[in-house]
């Protein structure tokens, strides 16, 4: 244990004077990171309180000693707080890291440790030795052999073949939240062993996404992360443990040469774009894998701890608004710049179309953790011209209780609507008082978003995501079953608003299975046809299960992977979702082009609420039934939606025309019916006889009529 107030250990004596005086030039402070220049590479790093910085060059990622040690002169090679040096002869592919000396004084927020090899915060690639050890980075002693290291990359050496951003209108966007590894890692994927669980493996499955109708994939974190940031014996699978904001995760590449992960990622983006599918990254700018005061020193902690992290009043401790041990100091000018530079890089050099910001509300906190009215980093992101037109999606809450759904700062940020998730779940398990709430959610949640006069797609509508039950498990379990995580089933959320339909877990009872299938179809119907931007979770379209685990962050196995045998087993559901999306994609985008707000859309719409009696909605706490009709003028159609969360069939009166005569209704969807009658091809829909429709228990019905055909 080092003493407070003392300088961290000096450099090991094996480094010779020759090492320290190899020919270099002073270099430049900008750009940050490792930048190839004519005849060499310019290196630049920010550290305000370091006393000495050394650049280490390695021949191999697991070398115990650097091949060259270059001392960055604190006078000639330091401009402001930027330490920089130009090294002739160095080329892309060079492995490197830093050692940074300075005071080890935790009470002052200083945690320099010159024994640790540190990643470049702006490094474009990271190499991970097979012997990588998170523990070695957290204890005293040199860790060169076991440390992750940065790699010099020339990002300009790639042929994009004319690829450009797709700019898919939000009104035509269907988001599919997925995990790169989990999508093809299962042996049933049909992908070769070499490419299973990789960017290349995902490319092979693009036809599946096309057939389903997906227009955007939202990838769980692909920034390089620490797989060892998890309980002993487990593995960090989700990736919410970043160590670099610029480097794609090495293990997701089938190519393990130093340029491989970057080029394979770009191959994936280019292939998805050719298929008409945008790429949205789930990004983690709220914390890093360095953890709390007892965590390892991997990069920022050993470079400039005071700058990069929000610290408590006792500056030896980290503010923990993330639930992961530390919180990034996002509104510090240097950190703000790093975040924006990262986003620019992924958009400009990697052609990414959008970002979903994990625990985005943390970006609203200042260096003391207080909420800011106008957080600079959020406006920096939104107003940056390079990022104009990029999709920004906020998870508008954090782990410390800050909840900003409906109040997140900005003019163009979309938000994960957690209240949509909760209220739709509550309605379909027949909770009292849920009918009033679901009505608002179907209309784009105007009680949440109406005050902003924004577009309907500000609300990202979802019922399930990576964090929580899958859709199958939502209708199959009353309680979480996280025993496999090794935490005594204490982890994961307890408020799931799930219902097992009468049996906990898998069952051979066909009636229970039919009810579960019906519930799943009803959830998906409402998600895809409510006003807003819909998102579905990987595998929900074929009832993928995690066996009741609602926190599978450490399950890199068949609990989390996509089992491709389910595509055939649940072909009826797959067909149902495909036809739902097919119709959703026909929606008129003129409102978005005309910049009409949600409020304007609702004011102009010819719509009406009903109960079992036409024009008589029942908003009481005991109500479990709701119907809604709306005109679609540009298609000369009127739609009628019937939602029956009651446990018995109900007879619903159907709306009449303005003249009082019946519409010529056709049935498109009835989730109480078996496939293929549950949803039909639009052109083959059957006529509905009479002025009422008998709706099965716990089901959703969608009827339509052509205006003028009554």
């Amino acid at each position: 244990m080092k003493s407070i107030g003392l300088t961290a250990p000096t450099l090991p004596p094996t480094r010779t004077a020759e090492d320290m005086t190899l020919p270099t030039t002073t270099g430049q402070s900008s750009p940050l990171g490792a930048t190839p220049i004519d005849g060499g590479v310019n290196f630049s790093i920010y550290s305000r309180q370091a006393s000495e910085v050394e650049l280490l060059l390695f021949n191999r990622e697991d070398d115990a000693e650097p091949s060259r040690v270059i001392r960055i002169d604190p006078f000639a090679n330091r401009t402001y707080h930027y330490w920089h040096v130009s090294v002739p002869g160095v080329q892309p592919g060079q492995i490197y890291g830093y050692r940074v000396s300075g005071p080890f004084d935790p009470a002052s927020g200083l945690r320099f440790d010159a024994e640790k090899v540190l990643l470049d915060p702006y490094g474009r690639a990271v190499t991970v030795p097979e012997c990588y050890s998170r523990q070695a980075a957290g204890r005293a002693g040199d860790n060169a052999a076991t440390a992750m290291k940065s790699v010099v990359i020339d990002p300009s050496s790639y042929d994009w073949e004319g690829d450009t951003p797709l700019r898919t209108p939000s009104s035509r966007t269907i988001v599919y939240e997925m995990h790169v590894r989990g999508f093809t890692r299962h042996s049933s994927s049909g992908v070769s062993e070499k490419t299973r669980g990789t960017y290349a493996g995902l490319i092979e499955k693009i036809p599946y996404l096309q057939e389903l109708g997906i227009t955007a994939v939202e990838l769980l974190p692909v920034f390089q992360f620490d797989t060892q940031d998890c309980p002993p014996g487990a593995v960090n699978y989700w990736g919410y443990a970043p160590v670099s904001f610029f480097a794609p995760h090495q293990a997701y590449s089938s190519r393990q040469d130093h340029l491989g992960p970057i080029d394979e990622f770009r191959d994936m983006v280019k292939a998805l774009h050719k298929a008409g599918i945008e790429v949205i990254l789930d990004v983690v700018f709220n914390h890093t894998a360095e953890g709390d005061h007892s965590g390892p020193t991997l990069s920022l902690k050993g470079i400039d701890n005071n700058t990069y992290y929000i610290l408590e009043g006792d500056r030896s401790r980290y503010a923990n608004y993330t639930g992961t041990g530390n919180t990034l100091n996002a509104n510090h000018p240097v950190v703000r710049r790093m975040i924006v530079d990262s986003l620019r890089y992924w958009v400009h050099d990697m052609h990414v179309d959008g970002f979903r910001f994990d625990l985005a509300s943390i970006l609203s906190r200042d260096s003391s953790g207080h909420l800011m009215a106008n957080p600079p980093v959020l406006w920096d992101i939104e107003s940056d011209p390079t990022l104009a037109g990029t999709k920004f999606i906020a998870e508008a809450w954090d782990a410390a209780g800050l909840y900003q759904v409906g109040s997140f700062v900005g003019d163009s940020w979309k938000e994960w609507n957690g209240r949509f998730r909760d209220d739709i779940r509550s309605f379909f398990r027949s909770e009292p008082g849920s009918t009033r709430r679901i009505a608002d959610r179907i209309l784009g949640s105007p009680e949440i978003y109406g005050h902003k006069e924004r577009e309907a797609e500000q609300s990202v509508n979802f019922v399930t995501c990576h964090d929580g039950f899958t859709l199958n498990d939502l209708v199959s379990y009353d309680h979480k079953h996280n025993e496999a995580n090794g935490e005594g089933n204490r982890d994961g959320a307890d408020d799931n608003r799930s219902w097992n339909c009468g049996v906990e877990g898998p069952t051979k009872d066909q009636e229970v299975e039919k009810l579960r299938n019906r519930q799943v179809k009803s959830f998906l119907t409402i998600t895809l046809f409510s006003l807003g931007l819909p998102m579905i979770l990987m595998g929900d379209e074929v009832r993928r299960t995690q066996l009741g685990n609602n926190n599978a962050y450490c399950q890199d196995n068949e609990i989390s992977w996509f089992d491709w045998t389910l595509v055939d087993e649940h072909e009826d559901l797959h067909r149902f979702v495909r036809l739902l999306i097919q119709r959703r994609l026909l929606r008129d985008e003129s409102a978005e082009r005309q910049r009409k707000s949600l409020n304007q859309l609702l004011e102009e719409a010819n719509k009406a609420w009903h109960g079992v009696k036409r024009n008589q909605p029942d908003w009481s706490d005991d109500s479990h039934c709701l119907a809604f009709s709306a005109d679609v003028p540009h298609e000369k159609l009127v739609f009628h939606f019937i939602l029956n969360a009651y446990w018995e069939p109900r007879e619903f009166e159907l709306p009449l025309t303005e003249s009082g005569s019946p519409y010529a209704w056709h049935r498109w969807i009835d989730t109480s019916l078996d496939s293929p009658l549950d949803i039909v091809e639009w052109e083959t829909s059957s006529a509905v006889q009479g002025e009422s429709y008998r709706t099965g228990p716990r089901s959703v019905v969608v009827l339509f009529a052509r205006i003028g055909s009554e």
Side-chain angles (χ1 to χ4, degrees), residues 236-413:
N236 190 309
Y237 171 70
W238 282 353
Y240 292 94
V243 297
S244 171
F245 299 121
F246 292 84
H249 191 59
Q250 180 194 36
Y252 290 166
S253 175
S254 63
R255 288 176 49 188
Q256 288 302 299
D257 57 289
H258 297 314
L259 194 60
I262 295 173
D263 279 354
E264 192 169 310
F265 178 90
R266 293 192 280 196
D267 289 344
M268 177 193 70
V269 172
K270 184 165 60 175
L272 283 163
H273 283 178
K274 286 180 179 178
I277 300 172
E278 292 186 304
V279 179
I280 298 172
L281 301 187
D282 190 338
V283 292
V284 186
F285 291 117
N286 56 72
H287 76 282
T288 75
E290 291 188 301
D292 61 14
H293 62 282
S294 63
T297 299
L298 305 171
S299 181
L300 308 181
K301 183 182 289 188
I303 293 172
D304 202 327
N305 191 59
N306 270 326
T307 292
Y308 286 106
Y309 294 111
I310 298 178
L311 305 178
E312 296 283 11
D314 173 0
R315 301 191 68 75
S316 68
R317 302 284 172 162
Y318 293 84
N320 186 16
Y321 302 111
T322 64
T324 59
N326 66 50
T327 304
L328 208 64
N329 191 12
N331 281 293
H332 186 286
V334 169
V335 186
R336 282 164 49 197
R337 184 181 301 113
M338 179 180 68
I339 291 172
V340 174
D341 285 347
S342 169
L343 297 173
R344 284 174 179 160
Y345 174 72
W346 288 98
V347 168
H348 183 269
D349 291 81
M350 308 296 270
H351 286 210
V352 163
D353 302 278
F355 305 94
R356 176 266 185 188
F357 291 74
D358 178 62
L359 298 182
S361 290
I362 282 171
L363 303 182
S364 299
R365 295 184 183 272
D366 65 15
S367 60
S368 298
H370 298 131
L371 180 64
M372 305 177 75
N374 287 291
V377 68
L378 295 182
W379 289 110
D380 284 353
I381 292 169
E382 181 167 323
S383 62
D384 189 276
T386 304
L387 304 178
T390 302
K391 288 182 170 70
F392 298 129
I393 301 172
E395 183 184 35
W397 54 82
D398 67 19
L402 183 56
Y403 193 78
Q404 296 180 302
V405 172
S407 61
F408 197 76
V409 172
D411 293 332
S412 63
W413 290 80

